[in-house]
Amino acid sequence: MSKIWTIARREYRLYFATPVAYVVAAVLLFVVGLIFYSAVEYGANPQNGYVPGIDQIYPAISFILIFAVPAITMRVISEEHRLGTIELLLTAPVKDWEVVVGKWLGALLFILTTIALTFVYPMYLNNIVVPGIDQGPLISGYLGLVMLSSAFVAIGVAVSSMFNNQVASLFASMGIFLVLWWLIGIPAQLSTSGMSEILRYLEFEGHFSSSIRGVINLGDMIYFASITLFSLVAGSVSLETRRWR
Amino acid sequence: MIRVDGLTKDYGPRRAIDNLSFHADKGEIVGFLGPNGAGKTTTMRILSGYMPPTDGTAIVAGFDVVEQSLEARARIGYLPESVPLYHDMSVFDYLKFMGDLRQVEDSAERADEVIEMVGLEDRVDSYIEKLSKGMRQRVGLAQALLHEPEVLILDEPTIGLDPAQILDVRKLIKDIGKERTVLLSTHILSEAQQICNRVLIINNGKIVAEDTPENLKAHTTGKEQFSLEIDGNDDGLAKVLEKVAGVEKVTKVEDGKWMVESATGKDVRKELAKAVVKGKFDLVELRQIDVNLEDIFLKLTKNEEPGEAE
């Protein structure tokens, strides 16, 4: 079995041994369910022919991820440093980047498992709407969520590799998510020309919104993949640098 | 098997180990002795591939721990000082996980084997969190043995164990040391005396002595010492003892207790006894003082230059 997979599997299982998994899954399902319910119950309007679509739940899920991902990733490497177990990983014949990628994969699989549970809502909607829901936004929306989670989790793991303290990594990654999600939009609109374009490119929401509308945009996929790759490299470098401390 | 040359490690301005050089061969158990903060753990962390040295080289099992770190790490079994373990896993799951990470074939079977070696068969499914300190120590030791490493680096392997467990672990280390290379650190000098072929005494990041426990004793003391106990009046005993051939120094420790020194290798007990009895003193005890590593250790590590602030 590959070393990365060994680390990922341990991470993944660990979430289910702690209340974290159940709390995060419960909150996600509850909040998304509430939004979904109001959309279906009050949003449907036979007069103007509006039919509630599945696109309602994506912003809700992505919003919760901003808080759920830091809660999931804060401990992945911070705790290893605090408990000293990092010494076991770093003296095993495993490359530093394999540790980081293993941690990322485990946490990502857990987040995706939780997101997969929200699939009950489109399935339910598909049963009550005639002639069924639009498949396009369903596929593109969930693909967008996978890519978004991948980038979020990678950032969370990288941040976790920099702190011994879990709360510090929790707030640091949450701060990064909030900035990349919204706050970066303000200077992006205020500043002019070149700078504005760079900032707008970095903004998460813009890249995610196309997938909600049912468009799979290669550029957006590359954006999320680049963020993921960049963060995993940063996490590996941080882990390696700490050996020299 | 272990070859260390000019190893130096600085933590910021503080030099933790300074130009260390030593070696350990196959079938050897080398003890690493020194006071807290002497640099034992730092040295072991470098050898295990956890952190790189500031200067110098370390070759373990034929591989440079910096240049060929992965190859070296694959051949080293390491028990860190604080025995870090995943408390949220069972003994078996943990050992299987570490086995998989080290790409041990049949990791589940091998986990069972090492569990048996350290005598934890009845705690296979216990969560590590629930284990006593001594048991955790044994789990850590089992982890170090998983991949049948050529070199074992054990940072204080018997700390926190009860006397019976200490004996078990020492025996285990001795058995392992027959075919492998073991470097272990300890505070307990009698332990080093019992299980190590060779002892390195380290102080302030430098090796201050290196030899077999027996040779160390012989070299450091230089004198044979005897203790005498007299019941009742001992006035005038000093004169009687000083007259005995071979006696170099007589000291009164307290009333009725005396210490006599002679040249190395000269046993003057018989002559002492005769002289004391002849002088009509009531001799109740006469014995040779066995110099242990403790004394050598204190002697070697005591002379720190005062004012050498960190």
Side-chain angles (χ1 to χ4, degrees):
Chain A
M1 201 190 310
S2 113
K3 296 165 188 176
I4 293 173
W5 182 242
T6 301
I7 295 173
R9 211 176 47 145
R10 192 194 97 82
E11 280 310 308
Y12 185 76
R13 285 189 178 170
L14 199 64
Y15 289 117
F16 294 95
T18 61
V20 180
Y22 304 100
V23 171
V24 169
V27 169
L28 185 79
L29 283 179
F30 177 72
V31 174
V32 172
L34 217 58
I35 290 166
F36 175 75
Y37 174 77
S38 6
V40 171
E41 187 66 21
Y42 308 110
N45 190 341
Q47 260 101 56
N48 63 15
Y50 175 77
V51 178
I54 198 61
D55 54 326
Q56 300 286 336
I57 68 164
Y58 299 133
I61 297 176
S62 60
F63 175 74
I64 291 172
L65 285 181
I66 291 176
F67 304 96
V69 170
I72 291 301
T73 58
M74 66 178 187
R75 47 156 290 283
V76 287
I77 297 177
S78 299
E79 198 179 52
E80 300 260 3
H81 271 113
R82 195 176 59 80
L83 296 177
T85 46
I86 194 76
E87 213 168 332
L88 297 168
L89 291 180
L90 296 189
T91 57
V94 181
K95 296 186 186 82
D96 293 356
W97 67 263
E98 289 176 321
V99 172
V100 173
V101 172
K103 295 279 182 184
W104 165 77
L105 189 61
L108 178 62
L109 287 177
F110 169 70
I111 289 284
L112 294 183
T113 307
T114 317
I115 290 175
L117 296 176
T118 65
F119 217 71
V120 297
Y121 301 122
M123 275 160 66
Y124 172 74
L125 196 64
N126 193 39
N127 281 339
I128 57 168
V129 174
V130 182
I133 55 167
D134 196 349
Q135 304 287 321
L138 181 68
I139 294 165
S140 73
Y142 272 93
L143 182 65
L145 282 175
V146 170
M147 295 307 284
L148 179 69
S149 309
S150 158
F152 270 3
V153 172
I155 293 173
V157 171
V159 168
S160 183
S161 75
M162 295 167 194
F163 294 98
N164 278 2
N165 185 301
Q166 297 193 20
V167 179
S169 39
L170 173 82
F171 276 93
S173 26
M174 214 185 277
I176 293 174
F177 295 168
L178 287 170
V179 166
L180 285 177
W181 194 262
W182 289 308
L183 299 180
I184 207 168
I186 300 166
Q189 282 174 2
L190 293 180
S191 59
T192 47
S193 64
M195 193 60 194
S196 165
E197 265 172 51
I198 294 172
L199 292 175
R200 201 163 294 164
Y201 178 74
L202 283 176
E203 193 190 10
F204 263 97
E205 208 182 358
H207 295 281
F208 184 61
S209 56
S210 64
S211 57
I212 298 178
R213 295 192 309 268
V215 182
I216 296 174
N217 182 326
L218 188 65
D220 293 337
M221 297 296 131
I222 290 173
Y223 168 80
F224 287 122
S226 314
I227 296 268
T228 305
L229 191 66
F230 174 80
S231 304
L232 292 177
V233 170
S236 309
V237 170
S238 144
L239 199 59
E240 166 126 30
T241 320
R242 294 187 65 170
R243 286 175 182 265
W244 293 84
R245 157 191 62 104
Chain B
M1 278 286 138
I2 301 178
R3 219 148 283 277
V4 172
D5 195 19
L7 210 62
T8 301
K9 176 76 186 178
D10 294 332
Y11 293 113
R14 192 173 75 85
R15 180 149 288 190
I17 56 169
D18 191 4
N19 203 15
L20 284 194
S21 297
F22 63 89
H23 66 94
D25 298 319
K26 193 176 174 184
E28 235 187 344
I29 302 178
V30 174
F32 216 28
L33 264 75
N36 286 325
K40 299 184 300 266
T41 297
T42 301
T43 310
M44 294 186 139
R45 282 182 162 174
I46 293 171
L47 292 180
S48 66
Y50 179 61
M51 52 158 88
T54 309
D55 205 2
T57 54
I59 313 282
V60 179
F63 295 96
D64 187 298
V65 296
V66 180
E67 303 296 326
Q68 301 153 302
S69 186
L70 291 184
E71 286 90 343
R73 283 189 243 161
R75 290 162 180 82
I76 299 171
Y78 177 45
L79 173 69
E81 189 188 16
S82 55
V83 200
L85 301 167
Y86 293 114
H87 289 192
D88 41 40
M89 292 175 103
S90 75
V91 172
F92 177 82
D93 285 347
Y94 168 69
L95 291 171
K96 172 147 191 327
F97 166 73
M98 288 307 289
D100 287 337
L101 204 59
R102 289 186 164 276
Q103 314 255 277
V104 172
E105 275 178 46
D106 299 321
S107 53
E109 209 172 293
R110 185 62 192 152
D112 281 328
E113 276 173 38
V114 290
I115 286 170
E116 203 186 311
M117 281 174 86
V118 299
L120 281 173
E121 296 96 326
D122 52 340
R123 306 307 288 265
V124 177
D125 292 319
S126 303
Y127 274 85
I128 291 175
E129 179 177 55
K130 307 272 183 210
L131 297 183
S132 69
K133 191 155 189 280
M135 286 178 180
R136 285 180 196 172
Q137 193 84 20
R138 285 192 273 167
V139 176
L141 201 59
Q143 174 270 128
L145 298 172
L146 266 173
H147 48 297
E148 305 188 61
E150 292 168 44
V151 175
L152 268 174
I153 298 176
L154 310 172
D155 204 348
E156 310 207 347
T158 56
I159 209 162
L161 299 178
D162 68 38
Q165 292 167 340
I166 287 179
L167 291 180
D168 286 350
V169 168
R170 281 183 192 162
K171 191 175 169 297
L172 185 64
I173 294 172
K174 263 195 136 166
D175 287 347
I176 296 162
K178 282 175 193 155
E179 300 145 34
R180 300 165 210 276
T181 309
V182 181
L183 179 67
L184 65 90
S185 74
T186 178
H187 282 302
I188 310 164
L189 296 130
S190 62
E191 181 167 286
Q193 219 164 336
Q194 283 171 31
I195 58 179
C196 298
N197 310 100
R198 213 145 45 80
V199 173
L200 302 170
I201 297 183
I202 177 173
N203 191 34
N204 285 332
K206 292 188 175 126
I207 292 177
V208 289
E210 175 185 355
D211 218 326
T212 61
E214 292 73 30
N215 281 349
L216 267 184
K217 271 206 245 174
H219 291 161
T220 349
T221 54
K223 294 265 192 286
E224 302 290 338
Q225 294 180 319
F226 305 92
S227 129
L228 280 98
E229 202 177 330
I230 305 293
D231 194 19
N233 183 23
D234 61 357
D235 292 342
L237 182 66
K239 273 189 180 165
V240 172
L241 295 175
E242 275 161 4
K243 273 184 201 157
V244 175
V247 169
E248 294 185 344
K249 196 178 166 200
V250 175
T251 335
K252 184 170 181 172
V253 184
E254 59 185 83
D255 273 351
K257 287 198 174 156
W258 293 75
M259 195 155 85
V260 175
E261 277 181 26
S262 72
T264 311
K266 198 154 174 70
D267 189 350
V268 291
R269 277 180 295 182
K270 269 188 276 179
E271 292 79 5
L272 283 176
K274 276 180 200 158
V276 172
V277 174
K278 209 172 158 192
K280 303 234 182 310
F281 296 101
D282 296 328
L283 181 64
V284 290
E285 190 190 85
L286 169 62
R287 64 182 171 89
Q288 183 162 16
I289 298 172
D290 186 20
V291 185
N292 56 23
L293 273 174
E294 233 103 341
D295 304 312
I296 303 167
F297 183 78
L298 286 174
K299 209 163 168 179
L300 287 169
T301 58
K302 204 164 49 185
N303 38 16
E304 285 162 49
E305 297 106 272
E308 193 201 3
E310 277 175 10

